[in-house]
Amino acid sequence: MKTITVGEREIRAAVTMGEAIEAVRRGFVDLVGGEFEMPTRTALRDGQFLVMSAHHRSTASAMFKTLSVNFARRPAIAGTVIWSETGRLDQLVADAGAVTALRTGAVVGVATDLLAPPEAGRLTLIGAGGQAPDQVRAVHAVRPLRRLTVVDADARRARALVGTLESELPGVELRTVSDAEAAVRTAEIVCCATNATTPLFPASALPAHVHVNAIGAFRPTMRELPDELLADSTVVVDELDAVLAESGEILHALQAGAVTKDALTELGTALTATAPSPASPAAHGNRTVFKSVGVAVQDWALARLLADKFLP
């Protein structure tokens, strides 16, 4: 038995964003099809330590991820992803920071491809931290961008992110601003990737036609979106049990009576709808929201890609 270890550089070289998006898409289809055993993740010290696992029945494969989260350090996420399957003696151990960023970007790509208007090309990204680059890459992979506006309280960090992405976005208008409310007024797609505990903008600031992704808040104490936006939008979530346990936005909106559980559609359900559903591209209203706290099927999907590439 051998353990193959892959670091961030190897992961980035081996997996394209397009591959990650398709792998995560298939994972969510299998999730709604009952292919996974996937317990709600264990969160210790209010989310500073996380443990996630998923077992895929038909392939007899499993993924286990442990990580620590500390927004005061760089990188904020550190840990390991372990892949194992009964048909192979060898196992894979991968850098959790790189896997998490890729899979979080990938699920936003899946949701944006499903929910955003086909012609959408103006993205406002709020938050220029570790998850930000892959948010942009994923949206660009499914909705080629014409304009990117980056909002961050730290202007230097916003400019650094634009500098990192500039070579990947030829012909795209690139801007950095400090006012989130002003920045979303002309957006067609908004991505929120912050550790905020209060909403980043009022619902009234958004245009009538917009798709919003929110991936930053992953604990009940965190919140990026206002109740009014959730009340006035088609809301798709990664997995219902997960958001009911961990999403500050969803919990706050439920308690305020702004939304009901029945109004929340799981991503896998939306992807597999055979007729127009509340979350289908043909049926959604002027505003759509995708709320993700991150679930283990995403990590499983990326780990399987890596296992196929690195294990004998």
Side-chain angles (χ1 to χ4, degrees), residues 3-60:
T3 297
I4 307 299
T5 301
V6 291
E8 179 177 9
R9 183 175 298 179
E10 294 164 299
I11 293 168
R12 293 290 180 180
V15 179
T16 68
M17 182 55 75
E19 288 177 314
I21 289 171
E22 288 308 310
V24 169
R25 192 194 314 270
R26 291 192 300 270
F28 274 96
V29 170
D30 279 1
L31 178 63
V32 77
E35 283 289 328
F36 282 95
E37 291 179 80
M38 189 180 73
T40 301
R41 67 180 163 204
T42 299
L44 306 174
R45 199 177 173 86
D46 193 29
Q48 291 186 36
F49 299 95
L50 301 172
V51 181
M52 305 170 70
S53 60
H55 164 236
H56 189 245
R57 292 184 173 93
S58 60
T59 59

Side-chain angles (χ1 to χ4, degrees), residues 122 124 147 179-188 190 202-209:
R122 297 194 301 268
T124 292
R147 188 181 77 193
D179 186 343
E181 183 172 343
V184 301
R185 290 193 183 279
T186 58
E188 294 168 318
V190 176
S204 60
L206 290 164
H209 300 266

Side-chain angles (χ1 to χ4, degrees), residues 207-261:
H209 300 266
V210 68
H211 171 64
V212 179
N213 300 299
I215 60 93
F218 65 97
R219 299 298 299 144
T221 52
M222 303 169 74
R223 192 170 162 229
E224 294 181 303
L225 306 180
D227 292 343
E228 295 78 11
L229 173 60
L230 298 173
D232 189 39
S233 304
T234 295
V235 180
V236 176
V237 301
D238 47 11
E239 201 261 340
L240 188 59
D241 288 344
V243 297
L244 292 178
E246 299 182 326
S247 169
E249 291 99 342
I250 299 299
L251 292 171
H252 193 280
L254 287 169
Q255 291 163 5
V259 298
T260 65
K261 291 180 186 178

Side-chain angles (χ1 to χ4, degrees), residues 102 122 124 136 163 242 309:
L102 260 175
R122 297 194 301 268
T124 292
V136 177
K309 291 175 182 288

